[in-house]
Amino acid sequence: MHGTRRKTTLQTRTAKSAITNGSRLFAERVDLRTPRGKRFRDLINGYSAPFGTKITEADRAIIRDLAMLQVLSEDIQQQYMQSGEMKESEYAQYSRIVNAIRRHMKTLGLIDLKRESDPHDDDHGLDPLAYMQRGGTRRSHRVRLDGD
């Protein structure tokens, strides 16, 4: 039975789509030589680096979304820095984008919200009343004068 043998090996690179094998980011050809395109591609590469070759399609999709959100966030930041103004609707949009970025990073394990505290920071054992009695500082008045 010639030609009826089932292929038992994994799909070859040439049989996969251009997006799956990594030769393109989009189904249609898009010029990524623009500054935003380069930034988008760089972010994808940067966010993908910790995964090495063991990256799932789900992780790849989240990374693409994360890169897009990051580019949008940078565009909003640039507009604000140029004009110095931000409407309430723009601020709300920016806040949603930043929160989505944080959630995506947490989902991918790129950030750990429970980072180790600074060894010089003793806030975890600081009594709020003692803090206020010292004038809103972690150090006593004498230590501040001598140390600063």
Side-chain angles (χ1 to χ4, degrees), residues 115-128 131 138:
R115 295 183 183 126
E116 291 184 26
S117 62
D118 184 3
H120 303 292
D121 186 11
D122 57 353
D123 275 349
H124 59 279
L126 188 61
D127 177 35
Y131 179 80
R138 293 183 195 116

Side-chain angles (χ1 to χ4, degrees), residues 72-80 86 93-94 97:
L72 289 173
S73 171
E74 291 171 0
D75 286 346
I76 293 171
Q77 291 170 1
Q78 179 183 356
Q79 289 173 0
Y80 178 74
M86 186 180 283
Q93 178 186 15
Y94 178 72
I97 289 171

Side-chain angles (χ1 to χ4, degrees), residues 47-93:
Y47 292 140
S48 299
F51 295 94
T53 58
K54 297 179 181 181
I55 187 167
T56 65
E57 285 297 322
D59 289 338
R60 189 174 284 132
I62 293 171
I63 288 170
R64 286 171 54 101
D65 289 342
L66 176 58
M68 181 66 185
L69 289 167
Q70 182 72 35
V71 170
L72 289 173
S73 171
E74 291 171 0
D75 286 346
I76 293 171
Q77 291 170 1
Q78 179 183 356
Q79 289 173 0
Y80 178 74
M81 290 301 142
Q82 289 173 342
S83 69
E85 298 175 359
M86 186 180 283
K87 298 177 188 170
E88 188 174 331
S89 62
E90 292 170 336
Y91 180 75
Q93 178 186 15

Side-chain angles (χ1 to χ4, degrees), residues 123 126 130-141 144:
D123 275 349
L126 188 61
Y131 179 80
M132 289 308 297
Q133 288 173 342
R134 282 189 251 169
T137 181
R138 293 183 195 116
R139 298 182 282 176
S140 70
H141 179 67
R144 279 188 311 193

Side-chain angles (χ1 to χ4, degrees), residues 7-85:
K7 191 174 191 176
T8 58
T9 61
L10 293 175
Q11 199 175 20
T12 62
R13 182 179 175 137
T14 56
K16 294 180 182 179
S17 73
I19 297 170
T20 303
N21 70 28
S23 61
R24 272 197 258 157
L25 291 175
F26 302 102
E28 298 293 322
R29 293 191 186 273
V30 177
D31 185 9
L32 294 175
R33 294 178 292 180
T34 64
R36 273 191 198 91
K38 288 177 183 178
R39 180 69 177 144
F40 182 72
R41 187 180 56 231
D42 291 345
L43 286 168
I44 288 175
N45 292 337
Y47 292 140
S48 299
F51 295 94
T53 58
K54 297 179 181 181
I55 187 167
T56 65
E57 285 297 322
D59 289 338
R60 189 174 284 132
I62 293 171
I63 288 170
R64 286 171 54 101
D65 289 342
L66 176 58
M68 181 66 185
L69 289 167
Q70 182 72 35
V71 170
L72 289 173
S73 171
E74 291 171 0
D75 286 346
I76 293 171
Q77 291 170 1
Q78 179 183 356
Q79 289 173 0
Y80 178 74
M81 290 301 142
Q82 289 173 342
S83 69
E85 298 175 359

